Amino acid sequence: MENIFGERLKELRRERGVGQVELAKGIGVSNGIISLWEHGLREPTLNNLVAIAKYFGVSADYLVGLSDY
């Protein structure tokens, strides 16, 4: 199964120079969960998805692959 969310999360972090630890602190989750999301081993809760969208200024639809922007 394709991991669009994980790929887009990693891409956003890299484009903006944000490390996993910095993102985790910014949205209030543990450091390791970012890696699990990026590798498709876990999925974020709705609250975490919204927090990530706000953090990066993108839509939740973009993060989950429903839109290209």
Side-chain angles (χ1 to χ4, degrees):
M1 186 171 160
E2 195 173 4
N3 180 22
I4 292 173
F5 170 76
E7 291 170 7
R8 291 198 171 171
L9 179 60
K10 187 183 299 186
E11 179 181 298
L12 283 167
R13 276 195 322 95
R14 289 184 176 166
E15 284 176 357
R16 299 181 188 192
V18 176
Q20 289 182 348
V21 173
E22 182 180 350
L23 175 58
K25 286 180 182 177
I27 63 170
V29 299
S30 67
N31 300 343
I33 195 70
I34 305 298
S35 178
L36 292 173
W37 290 340
E38 289 183 356
H39 289 94
L41 300 174
R42 295 279 168 89
E43 294 182 354
T45 64
L46 180 57
N47 287 340
N48 287 333
L49 184 64
V50 170
I52 294 164
K54 286 181 179 179
Y55 185 92
F56 287 113
V58 298
S59 70
D61 283 352
Y62 172 77
L63 287 170
V64 298
L66 296 176
S67 97
D68 289 331
Y69 50 91

